[in-house]
Amino acid sequence: MSFASVLVLNGPNLNLLGTREPAIYGSETLDDVAKLCRDAGERLGLSVDFCQSNAEHQLIDWLHAARTKVDGIVINPAAYTHTSVAIADALSAIGKPVVEVHISNVHRREAFRHHSYVSAVADAIIVGCGTQGYVFALERMATILKNRAAK
Ligand code: DQA
C-alpha cells in the first residue's frame, strides 16, 4: 500500500546509462535505476512513476501533468540542470516538494556543472552517491511527505 506518489524524472542522455562514460556514471542501466526506485518505493510506501526524456519540453509537460497527479518530484535534470530556467520555473509553478539528484559529484567536475538552476527550487540535493542517490532521494521524499501530512 502506498501513502503517496512520486514522479522520478530523468533528463537527456540518461537513457545511455550503463554505456555512457561508465567511469563517471557506473555500469548500471536506466532500467536498473528504475527497478532500484520501484523497489525503494515499495519499501517506503511510495508509488513511483519513472520517466526519461531527451527533450526539455517533454520534461516540462510531464511536470505540468504531475501537478494534479503526484505528491513529489525526484529529478535528475542531467545537462538541463545547468541551462534550464524553464525546468526550474516548471518545478516552482507546480509547487510540489522536489529532490534533485546527480549520479556524479558535479562539484568535482567541470566548472559549468557547478551551477544548478534547479537547486534554488529544490528541498534537497543529492550528488555523487552513484545510482544509490535515487534511493536516498526517495527516502528523503518519504520523510518530507510524512512530515507534511503530520502538520
Ligand atoms: C548528471 C550530471 C550532469 O552534469 C550531466 O550533464 C548529466 C548527469 C549526473 O547525474 O551526474 O547528464 O546530472
Side-chain angles (χ1 to χ4, degrees):
M1 259 297 279
S2 50
F3 77 91
S5 63
V6 177
L7 174 63
V8 180
L9 214 50
N10 294 278
N13 302 306
L14 291 170
N15 54 311
L16 299 181
L17 270 188
T19 56
R20 174 192 183 198
E21 299 180 272
I24 296 174
Y25 298 111
S27 56
E28 280 169 286
T29 66
L30 194 64
D31 282 348
D32 295 332
V33 180
K35 183 174 177 341
L36 208 62
C37 288
R38 291 205 182 92
D39 289 350
E42 258 176 48
R43 175 170 59 81
L44 295 163
L46 299 172
S47 87
V48 170
D49 199 1
F50 189 94
C51 304
Q52 186 275 334
S53 178
N54 294 323
E56 190 174 22
H57 72 89
Q58 177 63 82
L59 295 165
I60 292 166
D61 286 347
W62 281 334
L63 286 171
H64 291 181
R67 197 158 65 98
T68 53
K69 282 196 222 142
V70 308
D71 301 298
I73 312 284
V74 167
I75 185 166
N76 182 348
Y80 290 139
T81 307
H82 318 298
T83 63
S84 182
V85 174
I87 288 176
D89 278 355
L91 288 165
S92 289
I94 68 173
K96 305 283 177 184
V98 175
V99 181
E100 177 184 355
V101 189
H102 299 286
I103 295 167
S104 64
N105 179 359
V106 284
H107 298 291
R108 204 165 64 178
R109 300 180 63 194
E110 304 95 318
F112 68 84
R113 296 186 203 275
H114 298 177
H115 177 260
S116 164
Y117 285 100
V118 170
S119 295
V121 299
D123 295 84
I125 305 156
I126 294 166
V127 300
C129 299
T131 56
Q132 192 184 15
Y134 285 80
V135 176
F136 295 152
L138 286 165
E139 284 172 350
R140 184 63 200 157
M141 183 58 74
T143 302
I144 291 169
L145 294 173
K146 275 185 188 146
N147 287 347
R148 288 198 172 193
K151 273 193 187 149

